Amino acid sequence: MKMKKYTAETMVEVMKKVRADFGDDAIILSSTVVKTKGFLGFFKKKSVEVVAGFDEPAPKMEEPVFPISSPRIENVDRTSGELKEEMNELKKMLKDMQQLARQSRFPDELKPLLAHLDKQGLSTSSITQIGEEIYNRMKAEKKDFTQQEQLLITKELLKKEMEDLPFGGISFNKKYINVLGPTGVGKTTTIAKIAARALLENKKKIGFITTDTYRIAAIEQLRTYANLLQAPVEVAYNSQDFKNAIDKLADRDVIFIDTAGRNYKEVKFVEDLSKLIDFSLDMESYLVLSLTSKEQDMKVIVEQFNQFAVEKFIFTKMDETSSIGPMFNLMKDHNIGTAYYTDGQEVPEDITEADSSKLISLLLKGAYDA
């Protein structure tokens, strides 16, 4: 990584220098306000000092060819976290094998439905519960159920499983809407879609704060959306900046906070977030997850954010996947409902308020042409 230190009177001037050298893919490594002494030690001046970097693409190297007689030695070291994850995976595999053994006694009439649920990524335990309930009812009534009867029972069971979870969009009763999530899930675009609705449908005066200061492109993307919505944007590089932004946007009805996209499987990034944002404010927090991510990765991220009061999930990129079962698994395992799901990049069109009946219909779409 190339690194360089910049100093200027304002952050805006610093960022111009960074962009000139490294472009929009620059990464801000640190930022501090420094005071320099003036004439005879008096008349101190404030300036901003920033260390920025740029990841150069690694040179392409040819993979060495090893003789057949010389086996390659691999590093088999494991961190405690990796070992724990592997143990959890093993336990899950054993549990799934037990569930599959229970499923083997179900009649052939049930197998297409269960295969569809499996393809959708619904958990093995949920599939087994659905299969057993339908099978037990078939035995009790001493008849085979039609495809439609099987679907009705499945919808009934899934609906009951989620009846205590909150669904639906943001009410805008809270002044601060904090949007959390890892890198690459589409947080900024999702914020723009929700903010546009707050402005156009709910007639709210909106504003934005971004703490995503690691990539210049992220700030510029939010500025573009904010300009279209004629709303102010404040950039917070540290906790003091965040407090100042709150003061500057005091006249706004709703303030959307766009947090940094980081690898939140690492605890330190979650801790950094808790130091930067004042979570004691009149605030609701929403966790954005991409349905194109691995379920295990999403699960780890949800667990990392347990220290914050996550109101609901927002799932993105539904149009880029053919399996939405992980949505149901995460909601069930963590007892958290869903506010929205998105299925495209258009602002503000490609976002839908979540509803349990809608989601169940989407899950069963294609099973017996449901």
Side-chain angles (χ1 to χ4, degrees), residues 64-73:
V65 178
F66 291 86
I68 295 175
S69 58
S70 302
R72 299 175 69 174
I73 300 172

Side-chain angles (χ1 to χ4, degrees), residues 4-21:
K4 188 174 179 181
K5 184 186 290 184
Y6 298 85
T7 305
E9 289 187 5
T10 67
M11 181 61 74
V12 173
E13 292 176 17
V14 170
M15 298 310 280
K16 284 181 182 178
K17 293 179 180 180
V18 174
R19 187 182 287 106
D21 285 351

Side-chain angles (χ1 to χ4, degrees), residues 195-357:
R197 291 193 171 193
L199 175 69
L200 301 173
E201 297 175 9
N202 299 84
K203 310 302 179 186
K204 299 289 186 181
K205 288 174 64 179
I206 63 172
F208 299 94
I209 297 174
T210 179
T211 66
D212 193 355
T213 58
Y214 298 95
R215 291 177 64 87
I216 296 175
I219 298 175
E220 294 306 316
Q221 183 186 15
L222 185 60
R223 286 194 193 281
T224 299
Y225 287 132
N227 289 337
L228 291 171
L229 298 172
Q230 297 182 335
V233 180
E234 295 295 329
V235 182
Y237 292 89
N238 51 52
S239 59
Q240 186 59 52
D241 286 343
F242 186 82
K243 291 175 184 176
N244 294 339
I246 292 296
D247 293 337
K248 289 179 182 178
L249 299 175
D251 66 324
R252 301 285 104 180
D253 298 322
V254 181
I255 298 170
F256 294 89
I257 303 168
D258 187 8
T259 56
R262 306 298 296 272
N263 177 12
Y264 287 115
K265 289 194 289 183
E266 294 190 34
V267 178
K268 65 176 181 177
F269 293 133
V270 180
E271 292 174 346
D272 289 346
L273 196 63
S274 65
K275 294 173 185 174
L276 176 60
I277 294 173
D278 183 0
F279 284 89
S280 68
L281 293 168
D282 184 31
M283 177 184 293
E284 285 182 346
S285 295
Y286 293 82
L287 180 56
V288 182
L289 299 168
S290 169
L291 286 169
T292 59
S293 303
K294 292 179 182 178
E295 182 177 347
Q296 183 59 31
D297 291 340
M298 289 193 284
K299 184 178 178 182
V300 172
I301 290 164
V302 176
E303 289 169 353
Q304 294 283 56
F305 279 99
N306 271 344
Q307 62 180 284
F308 307 121
V310 173
E311 189 76 14
K312 296 172 190 170
F313 292 127
I314 298 174
F315 289 100
T316 61
K317 304 187 182 183
M318 186 179 279
D319 56 317
E320 298 180 29
T321 183
S322 58
S323 57
I324 62 169
M327 290 178 68
F328 292 82
N329 302 339
L330 289 170
M331 287 190 289
K332 178 183 175 183
D333 292 345
H334 297 279
N335 200 35
I336 298 175
T338 298
Y340 303 97
Y341 57 87
T342 72
D343 54 1
Q345 294 295 312
E346 293 298 319
V347 177
E349 295 86 353
D350 295 335
I351 188 169
T352 304
E353 285 195 26
D355 173 271
S356 60
S357 296

Side-chain angles (χ1 to χ4, degrees), residues 46 51 70 78 84 89 94 141 157 177 182 202 323 366:
K46 285 186 179 180
V51 176
S70 302
R78 294 285 187 272
K84 185 178 178 181
E89 280 295 307
L94 288 171
E141 297 186 27
L157 295 172
I177 305 299
N202 299 84
S323 57

